[in-house]
Amino acid sequence: ASTLKIGSLSGTVWNAQAQDVEVGELRFRQAEFSPNVMQLLTGKLSFNIKLSGQDLNAQTTLRSEPEGRWHLSNLKGSVDAAQLPGWLKLSSRFSGMIRLSFDELRVHAQGIQDVRGTVVWDQAVIEAPLPLTLGKLQCDFRTHNKQLVGAVKNLSEAITLRGKLTLGIGGDYQLDLTLKPRNDALRQQLAIATP
């Protein structure tokens, strides 16, 4: 389970700000949240949330649902790709900017239940162990048979990349990618790096 830590809290019930917020591994300098009054009138708990951090920014509407589920709608965010190796426990170095845009995201204690959205990695580069410029990398996510499935593609002058990312409820994943170099020099580089 993710932990939540808040350094300081100020404001009112209708408009609150928090400083130094930690949600699991994610850290934010500031969070702003306010209840969605129209949802409160219908008896549902709903908040508009904006999170600001050094390398991660996001905003969404969070609404409670029956049986401990939470519904996030209109989730927009951006993160520096250099943060990914730490979160994913990888030794590679990445650069570029990742943008999130999810119309729907439902979660419960066991993980993600339903999702519809897109992740775009602009100026995507895997810097180590081999410098690999991927261009604009896009993954369109949907839920299929109780799994989160993403169709991966890119727009790059050097490498064509296509594939499928499947995430299970327990956090297990499978990534099937096809990389096709568009020039001989890069083809030789990849052949040396991948035995």
Side-chain angles (χ1 to χ4, degrees):
S2 292
T3 59
L4 173 65
K5 295 180 183 177
I6 298 175
S8 65
L9 187 62
S10 62
T12 68
V13 172
W14 303 109
N15 189 3
Q17 297 85 34
Q19 304 293 323
D20 302 318
V21 177
E22 293 181 26
V23 182
E25 298 289 319
L26 305 177
R27 289 171 175 70
F28 302 96
R29 284 190 310 260
Q30 183 175 346
E32 299 174 22
F33 48 97
S34 58
N36 187 320
V37 177
M38 294 306 288
Q39 290 290 319
L40 283 176
L41 294 175
T42 64
K44 294 181 180 176
L45 187 59
S46 176
F47 294 94
N48 298 317
I49 301 172
K50 184 175 180 181
L51 303 165
S52 304
Q54 180 175 342
D55 302 301
L56 175 63
N57 296 292
Q59 64 184 34
T60 188
T61 298
L62 176 67
R63 185 180 73 222
S64 67
E65 292 189 339
E67 300 175 17
R69 294 186 179 105
W70 290 91
H71 176 243
L72 288 86
S73 58
N74 197 26
L75 172 63
K76 306 286 184 205
S78 62
V79 62
D80 185 335
Q83 300 301 310
L84 287 181
W87 295 340
L88 301 175
K89 300 184 179 22
L90 298 173
S91 60
S92 301
R93 290 192 323 261
F94 301 148
S95 65
M97 184 60 67
I98 297 172
R99 291 180 289 114
L100 312 170
S101 179
F102 285 86
D103 296 326
E104 303 287 338
L105 181 62
R106 285 185 168 87
V107 296
H108 54 80
Q110 288 77 31
I112 295 172
Q113 179 187 14
D114 189 28
V115 68
R116 190 174 74 245
T118 299
V119 175
V120 174
W121 184 0
D122 284 317
Q123 300 175 355
V125 177
I126 299 174
E127 296 178 2
L130 170 74
L132 192 59
T133 301
L134 301 174
K136 182 178 181 179
L137 187 62
Q138 180 172 324
C139 190
D140 298 313
F141 286 102
R142 302 290 180 265
T143 309
H144 181 70
N145 292 335
K146 295 186 180 183
Q147 290 185 318
L148 179 61
V149 178
V152 181
K153 62 184 176 183
N154 78 328
L155 302 172
S156 171
E157 294 178 10
I159 295 173
T160 300
L161 187 146
R162 297 275 186 265
K164 180 178 168 183
L165 172 63
T166 306
L167 299 170
I169 291 176
D172 56 322
Y173 68 92
Q174 180 176 341
L175 178 61
D176 297 313
L177 288 178
T178 303
L179 287 101
K180 184 177 178 185
R182 293 190 179 178
N183 63 53
D184 289 334
L186 187 55
R187 189 172 289 113
Q188 288 174 354
Q189 252 188 326
L190 286 173
I192 292 168
T194 54

